[in-house]
Amino acid sequence: MSKQAEFAVILKMNAMFADLGADELQRLSNLCHTQHLANGEVLFQKGDPGNALFGVRRGQVRIETGASDGSRLTLNFMGPGDLFGEVAVLDGQSRTADATAGEASELFVLRREDFLGFLEREPKVAIKIIALLCQRIRWQSERMEESMLQPLPVRLARRLCALAADFGSEVHISQEQLGVFVGAARESVNRQLQAWRKDAILDLQRGRILLRNMTKLTAIARNE
Amino acid sequence: MSKQAEFAVILKMNAMFADLGADELQRLSNLCHTQHLANGEVLFQKGDPGNALFGVRRGQVRIETGASDGSRLTLNFMGPGDLFGEVAVLDGQSRTADATAGEASELFVLRREDFLGFLEREPKVAIKIIALLCQRIRWQSERMEESMLQPLPVRLARRLCALAADFGSEVHISQEQLGVFVGAARESVNRQLQAWRKDAILDLQRGRILLRNMTKLTAIARNE
DNA sequence: GGGGAAGTGTGTCATAAGTCACATAACTTT
DNA sequence: AAAGTTATGTGACTTATGACACACTTCCCC
């Protein structure tokens, strides 16, 4: 499979491009480049202009943010098939977090200028993108309000389920980082996890959470 | 001033169209219609397809939602110069609330089909709209997270400031509705308002709040 | 003008979650 | 292996806010 075809598949899996026709997708994929990163190499930093969209071909990219106290918090891991920077490539605003290669990686790169040129040539695609952005706005305002009003166990269960979808039942994350994710104190996170351990929903190890009973966890995430 | 020119002014005041050039704005305004509503007439209801954007020329439109218990909660008042339905016109999704004329009104109407046809003919405008939607997405995710994590006084002060911007220092709203706005219990809202009354920041009447000291209120809204 | 209905003011109580403080336990570095 | 560092576990306390209960007022309608 050609590099372009491979990129098209990744785009198609992302909600933002899922609606595009095969022909549109192919013409868009033809604009892509690839870029190699050594382990630990910095892809972009907070504040850099958002001049491209990236897809992971192989390897791993960590999205992290440097807290004011100098410590680093990992916000996300992007693995093969994951796409990031969709919004940045559209509006060119500066990055809000850092991205570093967690291992030697190869990325697909779609540059902002190329993408905008494409949209200008294909206004029908631009309109589809507009519709998708609108959906995202609606979805965000519904979810956010709902989400933040939920009690901590629900928010925590949701986050764990999301992480499980990416990494399987062994989630590699510290309780401190988990706390940042769900907007809660580390101690509160710990207490809730302990309670779930007693209920055999999960097991805890240093820096690791082993999800034992996803059924119960998703039930909690749905708020009963 | 022609109807179209008047509509162009309203569009220009809205963030979503502020970036458009005078020529683009004029061509867009030429697509508008007008519609008259009698007092109490229903413009659209929750679930209707979002097939147009509206601007208030004169009169008043109430955006309200029927709660499950049958009571009606007013979410917003739109007065002359206000624009609503910007997102609906772009993605055609169904309305999430009802709109009713609070008095005899005249509205500018920009139909979805006309607007989409315009965007297709003018891809540069479509790209500007895309950038604006992206900004909105970023703004939303920043604000939402921040906002919900703020303590009630801050959320309340922010909402009051926003209402003041629309209606001046005499805000006509019940404490119950205010509670819905900021996601808090009526009693909590009342207690906070009482405290502010003691500090001479505002005065309370049945169904009314008189803002006496916007300086202090905005200071609270900024979270000191 | 009498009788609701809606809006408001307040007290009491329960609870979720943050904060602080410290004990352990597990990895790293030298 | 010793020492330091990071992650985790847990208790005590505080605080904000929701929930309930009820009194009081104002408005509206018959």
Side-chain angles (χ1 to χ4, degrees):
Chain A
M1 181 156 67
S2 77
K3 169 177 98 174
Q4 282 79 14
E6 209 178 310
F7 186 48
V9 171
I10 294 182
L11 289 178
K12 184 74 185 179
M13 290 187 323
N14 186 284
M16 179 157 289
F17 303 96
D19 263 22
L20 301 194
D23 50 335
E24 293 164 339
L25 212 51
Q26 194 198 318
R27 288 196 294 278
L28 182 56
S29 302
N30 284 336
L31 302 175
C32 83
H33 300 245
T34 58
Q35 178 175 356
H36 290 263
L37 291 176
N39 184 359
E41 194 174 343
V42 172
L43 179 59
F44 57 73
Q45 291 188 298
K46 185 184 283 193
D48 287 354
N51 49 14
L53 166 159
F54 301 96
V56 181
R57 190 177 195 182
R58 56 187 187 76
Q60 187 195 61
V61 175
R62 280 201 303 262
I63 310 295
E64 35 184 34
T65 180
S68 45
D69 61 353
S71 71
R72 306 195 60 71
L73 286 172
T74 301
L75 298 178
N76 221 340
F77 299 86
M78 313 302 303
D82 287 331
L83 209 63
F84 58 100
E86 313 102 289
V87 176
V89 79
L90 286 171
D91 76 349
Q93 296 285 309
S94 47
R95 305 284 181 186
T96 56
D98 308 329
T100 317
E103 47 187 87
S105 305
E106 185 181 1
L107 305 181
F108 293 109
V109 181
L110 179 56
R111 287 198 304 241
R112 174 170 157 75
E113 52 197 285
D114 296 336
F115 193 27
L116 292 189
F118 175 77
L119 288 181
E120 205 166 317
R121 287 192 306 277
E122 310 222 15
K124 280 187 193 302
V125 174
I127 288 175
K128 280 184 188 168
I129 298 273
I130 285 177
L132 281 159
L133 290 173
C134 288
Q135 265 184 31
R136 191 146 165 173
I137 285 177
R138 285 172 185 272
W139 186 86
Q140 262 192 345
S141 34
E142 283 166 22
R143 281 298 171 290
M144 275 288 184
E145 275 180 70
E146 174 199 309
S147 219
M148 306 298 286
L149 295 175
Q150 298 298 329
L152 182 129
V154 176
R155 277 154 37 211
L156 199 52
R158 285 184 185 171
R159 178 62 63 166
L160 284 174
C161 288
L163 288 168
D166 284 353
F167 303 108
S169 64
E170 182 171 329
V171 179
H172 183 270
I173 187 174
S174 83
Q175 297 177 7
E176 165 112 39
Q177 291 186 9
L178 202 47
V180 174
F181 274 175
V182 301
R186 177 192 65 79
E187 295 91 325
S188 303
V189 169
N190 181 274
R191 277 184 261 262
Q192 183 57 56
L193 292 177
Q194 296 296 333
W196 283 339
R197 187 161 60 99
K198 289 198 182 67
D199 293 349
I201 292 175
L202 46 74
D203 262 331
L204 297 175
Q205 292 176 6
R206 183 191 175 82
R208 256 189 215 90
I209 299 171
L210 308 169
L211 306 178
R212 294 277 181 233
N213 189 334
M214 286 304 293
T215 314
K216 280 192 191 173
L217 198 61
T218 50
I220 295 167
R222 274 195 308 274
N223 203 357
E224 270 67 18
Chain B
M1 180 157 64
S2 79
K3 173 176 95 174
Q4 281 77 14
E6 210 179 308
F7 186 47
V9 171
I10 293 182
L11 289 177
K12 184 72 184 180
M13 290 188 323
N14 187 285
M16 180 157 288
F17 302 96
D19 263 22
L20 301 194
D23 49 336
E24 294 164 339
L25 212 52
Q26 195 198 318
R27 289 196 295 276
L28 182 57
S29 301
N30 285 336
L31 303 175
C32 83
H33 300 246
T34 58
Q35 178 175 354
H36 290 263
L37 292 175
N39 185 359
E41 195 175 343
V42 172
L43 179 60
F44 57 74
Q45 290 187 302
K46 185 184 284 195
D48 288 354
N51 49 14
L53 164 158
F54 301 96
V56 181
R57 191 176 196 183
R58 56 186 186 78
Q60 187 195 62
V61 175
R62 279 201 302 263
I63 310 295
E64 33 184 36
T65 180
S68 46
D69 61 355
S71 70
R72 306 195 59 71
L73 285 173
T74 301
L75 298 178
N76 221 340
F77 299 87
M78 313 302 304
D82 286 332
L83 209 63
F84 58 99
E86 314 101 288
V87 176
V89 79
L90 287 170
D91 76 351
Q93 296 283 310
S94 46
R95 306 284 180 186
T96 57
D98 309 328
T100 316
E103 48 188 88
S105 305
E106 184 180 1
L107 304 181
F108 293 109
V109 182
L110 179 56
R111 287 199 305 243
R112 175 169 157 75
E113 53 197 282
D114 296 335
F115 193 26
L116 291 189
F118 174 77
L119 288 180
E120 206 166 315
R121 289 192 305 277
E122 309 223 15
K124 280 188 192 302
V125 174
I127 288 175
K128 280 184 187 168
I129 298 273
I130 286 177
L132 282 159
L133 290 172
C134 289
Q135 264 184 34
R136 194 147 162 172
I137 285 177
R138 284 171 185 273
W139 186 87
Q140 260 192 346
S141 35
E142 282 167 22
R143 280 299 175 287
M144 275 290 184
E145 275 179 69
E146 174 199 309
S147 220
M148 308 297 289
L149 295 175
Q150 297 297 328
L152 180 121
V154 176
R155 274 149 45 209
L156 199 52
R158 285 184 185 171
R159 178 61 64 166
L160 284 175
C161 288
L163 288 169
D166 283 354
F167 303 107
S169 64
E170 182 172 327
V171 179
H172 182 270
I173 188 175
S174 83
Q175 297 177 8
E176 165 107 40
Q177 292 187 10
L178 202 46
V180 174
F181 275 176
V182 301
R186 179 192 63 81
E187 294 92 326
S188 303
V189 169
N190 181 274
R191 276 185 259 266
Q192 184 58 56
L193 292 177
Q194 295 296 334
W196 283 338
R197 188 160 60 100
K198 288 198 184 65
D199 293 350
I201 292 175
L202 46 74
D203 262 330
L204 297 175
Q205 293 175 6
R206 183 190 175 82
R208 258 192 211 87
I209 298 171
L210 308 169
L211 305 178
R212 294 277 181 231
N213 191 334
M214 287 303 294
T215 314
K216 279 193 192 172
L217 198 61
T218 51
I220 296 166
R222 275 195 308 275
N223 203 357
E224 271 66 22

